[in-house]
């Protein structure tokens, strides 16, 4: 193989490893019929921290959260709430043991998250950007 | 409503839920929380209590009763608008045992956007950032500062609360809330006051809470009508004053005896606090102002400020709390405390009665401050270990440290160090 043939392969390998190491953005998603087209970060915090029970369109909100590896979850909450994960857990314990809120409904995969959001008008969830598909609407991107 | 009946009714309701709920397996949650704690001081002359709901406290040997507690909770979502919660907590109490009590047994109804109504057994929100005093995992320090929360007394009620939330801007909300109900508390007043039954007292409160990003500010005004008189030695003192008044022809002493009836008097409090959590920083503080119509409950101002900084899973923190009481003047007893010797035994009884009144008027003073420093370590997803050192300095007199032997308590120099270690955990309630 000549030099001209090797260089593109090396470049592609470096680019590939660089992409693999990059942290993928998250997108906040809602049902396309929710009446919500856009959220600010501050508004999204309200739903994932149990402070807001209705979407801006008036629908009852159904927050959904996929069970994720801790580093991924930690990164999401640092991007969204600007708080370390133990602080997020403590804040949820306050809400839950006050009888005012239940934590988001949990899903086991991105596909299940998308299904739940597609099937519930009030659902609000987050997925990694590459998982986005037309069944749901992205209203906020975090970490891009 | 009997104290045991509401939890039973809620439990029955929860058992009936599967037929009502759309997705029963997901809608019912069982959870628990607890704290295993050890606390010890460097003195045996006075005892350190977490608050007035505890019969006695820690001395210079480690004991678990000050901070240990265990709670269980069942909650169920009934459709989109109704949440049922039953929470029972076992902790060391006014009677010196761990009898479980309901801290929440309520239905929380959210009929329209931004409005909620709750009814049943409810607990006040005490700390400025919404932490639950019984759930140690929710706050950074070992226990709510005793200078502010040690004499609170009323933390639970049987009644209703209503809350309306207004959106003021992106991520900024104002919540207005009102409580109305009867208290369900008993406190321990030591040898002088005995068990003080505060249950059945009408209580009402209004609060305003602003949440904006990482900041949370809250103000609450509370009124409480005291439902029962003191026990302990107070009735004996009243009888003695009335008898001496009749014997000595001093009707003013009977009036003083009547003024020691606390039943029907009003207690008021105003609290203003705030909390800010952003990245590794944690700051919170509050100010409380307490007044009462009752002669032996002094006007008291208290407050605390706390700062913490998270480094990975560890949060070192520092806290300062202070309480200052302004006791009411001791009623005019004439020459009761210094009757001439020819009164014989009556002179002795007069001196005892005068000393009893003076002690009663000043014994609820809380002149004290504490510097605390500590470390919280989140060593697991839903558990933490805390270490805390409290340097207590009391001035004049303080009801926050108790001793059932007044002679021994009188030897105390007003200084104490409290060392504490706690393990907090929650199951099923966090994320």
């Amino acid at each position: 193989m000549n030099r001209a043939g090797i260089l593109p392969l090396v470049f592609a390998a470096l680019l590939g490893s660089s992409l693999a190491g990059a942290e993928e953005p998250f997108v906040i998603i809602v049902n396309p019929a929710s009446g919500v087209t856009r959220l600010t970060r501050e508004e999204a915090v309200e739903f994932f921290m149990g402070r807001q029970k209705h979407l801006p369109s008036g629908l009852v909100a159904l927050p959904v959260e996929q069970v994720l590896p801790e580093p991924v979850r930690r990164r999401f909450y640092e991007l969204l709430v600007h708080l370390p994960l133990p602080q997020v857990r403590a804040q949820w314990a306050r809400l839950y043991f006050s009888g005012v809120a239940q934590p988001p409904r949990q899903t086991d995969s991105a596909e299940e998250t998308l299904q739940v959001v597609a099937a519930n008008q009030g659902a609000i969830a987050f997925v990694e950007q590459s998982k986005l598909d037309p069944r749901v609407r992205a209203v906020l991107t975090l970490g891009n | 409503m009997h104290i045991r009946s509401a939890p039973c009714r809620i439990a029955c309701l929860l058992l009936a839920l599967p037929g009502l709920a759309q997705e029963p397996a997901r809608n019912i949650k069982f959870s628990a929380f607890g704290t295993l704690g050890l606390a010890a001081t460097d003195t045996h002359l006075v005892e350190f209590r977490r608050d007035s709901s505890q019969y006695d406290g820690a001395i210079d040997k480690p004991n678990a009763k000050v901070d240990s507690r265990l709670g269980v909770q069942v909650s169920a979502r009934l459709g989109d608008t109704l949440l049922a919660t039953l929470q029972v907590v076992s902790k060391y109490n006014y009677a010196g045992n761990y009898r479980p009590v309901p801290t929440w047994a309520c239905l929380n109804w959210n009929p329209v956007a931004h409005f909620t109504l709750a009814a049943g057994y409810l607990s006040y929100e005490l700390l400025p950032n919404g932490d639950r005093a019984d759930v140690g995992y929710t706050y950074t320090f070992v226990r709510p500062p005793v200078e502010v929360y040690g004499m609170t007394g009323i933390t639970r009620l049987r009644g209703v609360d209503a809350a309306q939330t207004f959106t003021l801007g992106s991520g900024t909300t104002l919540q207005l809330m009102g409580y109305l109900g009867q208290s369900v508390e008993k406190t321990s007043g030591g040898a002088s006051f005995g068990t003080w039954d505060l249950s059945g007292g009408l209580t009402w409160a209004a609060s305003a809470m602003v949440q904006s990003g990482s900041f949370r500010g809250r103000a609450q005004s509370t009124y409480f009508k005291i439902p029962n008189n003191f026990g302990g030695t107070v009735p004996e003192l009243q009888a003695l004053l009335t008898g001496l008044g009749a014997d000595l022809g001093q009707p003013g002493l009977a009036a003083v005896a009547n003024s020691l009836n606390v039943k029907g008097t009003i207690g008021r409090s105003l609290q203003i606090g705030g909390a800010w959590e952003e990245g590794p920083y944690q700051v919170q503080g509050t100010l409380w102002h307490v007044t009462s119509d009752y002669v032996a409950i002094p006007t008291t101002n208290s407050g605390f400020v706390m700062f913490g900084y998270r480094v990975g899973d560890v949060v070192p923190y520092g806290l300062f709390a202070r309480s200052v009481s302004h006791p009411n003047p001791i009623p005019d007893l004439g020459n009761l405390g210094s009757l001439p010797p020819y009164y014989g035994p009556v002179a002795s009884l007069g001196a005892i009665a005068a000393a009893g009144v003076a002690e009663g008027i000043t014994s609820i003073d809380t002149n004290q401050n504490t510097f605390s420093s500590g470390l919280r370590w989140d060593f697991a997803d839903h558990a933490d270990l805390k270490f805390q050192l409290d340097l207590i300095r009391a001035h004049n007199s303080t009801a926050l440290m108790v001793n059932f032997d007044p002679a021994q308590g009188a030897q105390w120099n007003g200084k104490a160090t409290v060392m504490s270690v706690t393990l907090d955990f929650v199951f099923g309630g966090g994320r």
Side-chain angles (χ1 to χ4, degrees), chain A:
Chain A
M1 186 180 288
N2 61 27
R3 183 176 294 179
I6 290 171
L7 277 177
L9 286 177
V10 171
F11 184 71
L14 288 173
L15 183 63
S17 72
S18 166
L19 285 176
E23 293 182 320
E24 192 176 351
F26 296 99
V27 283
I28 307 290
I29 56 172
V30 297
N31 184 293
S34 65
V36 179
T37 55
R38 184 183 172 92
L39 286 177
T40 63
R41 183 188 69 82
E42 291 80 8
E43 288 169 331
V45 168
E46 300 283 298
F47 297 106
F48 287 97
M49 297 306 289
R51 299 172 192 165
Q52 181 59 268
K53 295 177 180 172
H54 290 81
L55 295 176
S57 58
L59 289 170
V60 175
L62 173 66
V64 178
E65 181 176 334
Q66 182 188 341
V67 177
L68 290 167
E70 173 142 335
V72 180
R73 195 161 171 249
R74 185 183 294 267
R75 192 169 71 85
F76 172 73
Y77 277 102
E78 282 172 356
L79 286 169
L80 181 70
V81 198
H82 298 172
L83 279 179
L85 201 49
Q87 296 291 110
V88 174
R89 291 193 187 106
Q91 288 201 9
W92 261 105
R94 282 173 208 159
L95 286 170
Y96 178 72
F97 289 115
S98 306
V100 297
Q102 283 194 318
R105 177 170 163 176
Q106 289 199 323
T107 57
D108 294 325
S109 65
E111 176 54 28
E112 187 186 351
T113 303
L114 293 167
Q115 283 176 10
V116 171
V117 174
N120 290 276
Q121 270 192 299
I124 178 166
F126 65 90
V127 291
E128 289 172 309
Q129 195 168 38
S130 61
K131 307 292 193 311
L132 199 57
D133 79 13
R135 289 174 292 175
V136 299
R137 174 185 290 158
V139 291
L140 175 66
T141 304
L142 293 167
N144 57 347

Side-chain angles (χ1 to χ4, degrees), chain B residues 240-270:
Chain B
L240 180 59
L241 283 167
T242 305
L244 286 168
D247 291 346
L248 299 170
Q250 293 185 22
L253 295 181
V256 172
N258 281 337
S259 75
L260 296 178
N261 287 321
V262 66
K263 182 178 179 179
T265 59
I266 302 289
R268 305 170 196 83
S269 74
L270 177 65

